[in-house]
Amino acid sequence: MTCAEFQKVLPYIVDTGGNADEEAHLKSCPVCSDLVADLKYIAEQAKLLVPMVDPSPRVWAGIQSSLEREGLVRPAGTARFPTPVMPGRWASGYRLLGFAALLLIAIGLITYHRGSRPATTESTNISSPAPAKVKPAGVDEEDTKLLQQVSQHAPAMRATYEDNLKSVNQYIADAEQAVAQDPDSEEAHDHLISAYGQKAMLYQMALARSLE
Amino acid sequence: MAIDRAKRGDAESFAALYGLHKRRVYSLCLRMTGNTAEAEDLTQEAFLQLYRKIATFRGESAFSTWLHRLAVNVVLMHLRKKGLPEVSLEETLEPQQEDGPKKEIGARDNVLAGSIDRVNLERAIESLPPGYRIIFVLHDIEGYEHNEIAEMMGCSIGNSKSQLHKARMKLSNLLKLSRAEKASRR
């Protein structure tokens, strides 16, 4: 079997494996085996592309207004849903600064809020088993504080926030790597801004929950 | 529970379902269209259809699978109206030399393994022609089988396999090109 013959049938056997002749060619031909390795590698990497980007709050606003217009829900019965409005089209640098500032403010407020909890809560905690201080993998120290806040106010949401924080931290790491590799890439910078924006949004949502 | 309450028209439960599934639905729309504004409109349309049709959800499949299929149909319907898939299907059925297997890629130091990161891959997928991109997203990212894709797209299973192969070949070339460009800048 030649490379041309093998590559002609490749689309139909790449994921399932071929017959004896095709497998024999694959084993003996470095060109075709490298080609198959590349295609399988791309497919494997694609499976790891988890959804990372949330839709703009405009989407939810549009859904709500459409449902209200159609009379499917009452305006008064507007569902409570924390969708902080993100800033418009700032220049990239200002946006990044804005998100970073927002993140810092959110962290600061959460820390302040924790420090100003009523003494009764603290005394209740004394008799309780000490909470585990283990930092979950994939989150930093501030994230851990945030998760503790979420646990106190909305225990059911903790796992969701933890998953989201891990995902967004991974996204930030990937985007930082992309920026480091290609500092002139506007797209890489946009990914980084988007990643920080998502983290700021998570903090904002958690903060809104803890101040309720 | 939220599904049952949403079926009875409970707006809070519908909001909870939106919160749980918005990211996956939006990502699907964004990857299939490659356009933020279109993806937002289609996400909105998918959830509006969800609200209207949720009473017909019988629980025969997982809710997320059902919603996902609904969202795919919304996107495909939109793309059909735009005439994109038909054009792209025809285009991708034609043999294209640039996408064909290249025998010179056999050099061992030119394999992709270990060199793809998420950002580069997302970028390469975004730059695929629409016909390739849709099949690649549905099969390799979203996990649909060729028979399901063939049914949704109105093409043969062989056509779906052929287009997926061309999409992967194109991605391989794009990723290698991007890697070579980066290396030359260093």
Side-chain angles (χ1 to χ4, degrees):
Chain A
M1 172 169 255
T2 64
C3 290
E5 286 167 341
F6 178 80
Q7 290 178 12
K8 197 173 172 188
V9 296
L10 186 54
Y12 311 99
I13 62 167
V14 66
D15 292 322
T16 54
N19 62 28
D21 276 355
E22 290 151 1
E23 291 298 322
H25 178 80
L26 186 59
K27 274 184 189 154
S28 63
C29 174
V31 173
C32 291
S33 66
D34 280 355
L35 173 63
V36 169
D38 274 351
L39 299 180
K40 286 189 170 173
Y41 178 63
I42 288 172
E44 282 164 14
Q45 293 303 303
K47 285 184 178 61
L48 303 177
L49 288 179
V50 292
M52 293 302 302
V53 186
D54 280 330
S56 152
R58 282 193 302 273
V59 175
W60 177 244
I63 292 168
Q64 278 186 312
S65 62
S66 288
L67 292 176
E68 284 168 14
R69 234 185 357 259
E70 292 175 33
L72 294 170
V73 295
R74 285 171 295 133
T78 301
R80 179 174 56 82
F81 194 71
T83 48
V85 176
M86 297 303 288
R89 301 198 174 281
W90 296 359
S92 295
Y94 286 113
R95 269 196 295 166
L96 191 51
L97 277 175
F99 290 140
L102 191 58
L103 196 55
L104 283 173
I105 291 166
I107 290 168
L109 280 171
I110 285 167
T111 308
Y112 172 79
H113 192 57
R114 278 168 57 82
S116 63
R117 295 194 67 73
T120 49
T121 311
E122 294 295 330
S123 61
T124 311
N125 284 346
I126 291 167
S127 58
S128 313
K133 295 276 182 190
V134 180
K135 190 181 82 173
V139 298
D140 63 23
E141 202 175 314
E142 292 305 332
D143 297 343
T144 309
K145 286 180 192 167
L146 181 78
L147 289 173
Q148 285 169 355
Q149 282 290 95
V150 172
S151 298
Q152 286 169 5
H153 295 277
M157 295 300 292
R158 191 191 188 282
T160 306
Y161 272 94
E162 189 177 331
D163 284 348
N164 285 335
L165 281 169
K166 282 178 185 171
S167 297
V168 85
N169 286 344
Q170 184 58 52
Y171 185 25
I172 289 172
D174 283 349
E176 281 175 344
Q177 195 186 349
V179 169
Q181 282 174 353
D182 193 358
D184 297 329
S185 165
E186 203 173 307
E187 202 178 347
H189 284 278
D190 282 346
H191 272 289
L192 186 57
I193 289 164
S194 166
Y196 277 121
Q198 284 180 35
K199 186 153 184 179
M201 190 182 285
L202 268 178
Y203 268 75
Q204 240 185 335
M205 287 165 72
L207 182 62
R209 218 171 252 288
S210 69
L211 292 176
E212 276 168 5
Chain B
M1 308 332 118
I3 298 167
D4 290 336
R5 286 198 299 272
K7 277 171 129 177
R8 294 194 293 270
D10 181 89
E12 291 252 354
S13 301
F14 181 70
L17 290 179
Y18 176 79
L20 280 173
H21 299 281
K22 64 179 176 177
R23 182 177 289 183
R24 190 165 176 221
V25 170
Y26 176 66
S27 291
L28 169 81
C29 297
L30 187 57
R31 284 182 178 137
M32 284 181 78
T33 60
N35 179 296
T36 309
E38 271 183 287
E40 287 185 359
D41 288 348
L42 292 168
T43 303
Q44 184 172 321
E45 180 56 29
F47 278 97
L48 285 171
Q49 285 208 16
L50 169 68
Y51 196 91
R52 293 175 195 127
K53 292 182 176 176
I54 194 166
T56 66
F57 173 64
R58 302 271 173 243
E60 288 150 356
S61 59
F63 177 75
S64 59
T65 309
W66 183 79
L67 169 60
H68 202 255
R69 184 65 177 258
L70 183 151
V72 169
N73 286 335
V74 166
V75 178
L76 290 178
M77 185 71 76
H78 166 78
L79 293 174
R80 269 187 209 112
K81 276 183 194 161
K82 281 179 72 178
L84 276 178
E86 284 76 12
V87 171
S88 307
L89 273 169
E90 290 307 315
E91 275 174 4
T92 52
L93 282 168
E94 294 298 320
Q96 293 181 17
Q97 192 56 43
E98 58 167 322
D99 300 330
K102 291 183 170 52
K103 291 188 182 175
E104 66 270 26
I105 64 172
R108 286 278 165 183
D109 59 354
N110 201 19
V111 291
L112 281 170
S115 68
I116 301 180
D117 63 48
R118 186 206 314 254
V119 173
N120 278 336
L121 184 55
E122 290 271 19
R123 194 182 297 167
I125 293 167
E126 213 175 294
S127 64
L128 282 175
Y132 291 161
R133 190 172 60 231
I134 291 165
I135 302 276
F136 182 81
V137 168
L138 289 176
H139 188 278
D140 279 1
I141 301 181
E142 303 297 340
Y144 283 98
E145 298 294 338
H146 283 294
N147 62 331
E148 295 174 295
I149 295 170
E151 189 192 325
M152 287 188 280
M153 300 282 295
C155 64
S156 68
I157 291 174
N159 193 355
S160 172
K161 286 182 177 177
S162 163
Q163 285 196 73
L164 175 67
H165 182 70
K166 287 175 183 173
R168 288 174 180 167
M169 292 292 292
K170 184 96 182 168
L171 282 174
S172 172
N173 291 340
L174 287 169
L175 290 163
K176 282 176 182 168
L177 192 66
S178 154
R179 189 176 60 182
E181 279 172 2
K182 275 182 196 166
S184 70
R185 280 203 295 267
R186 281 183 194 141

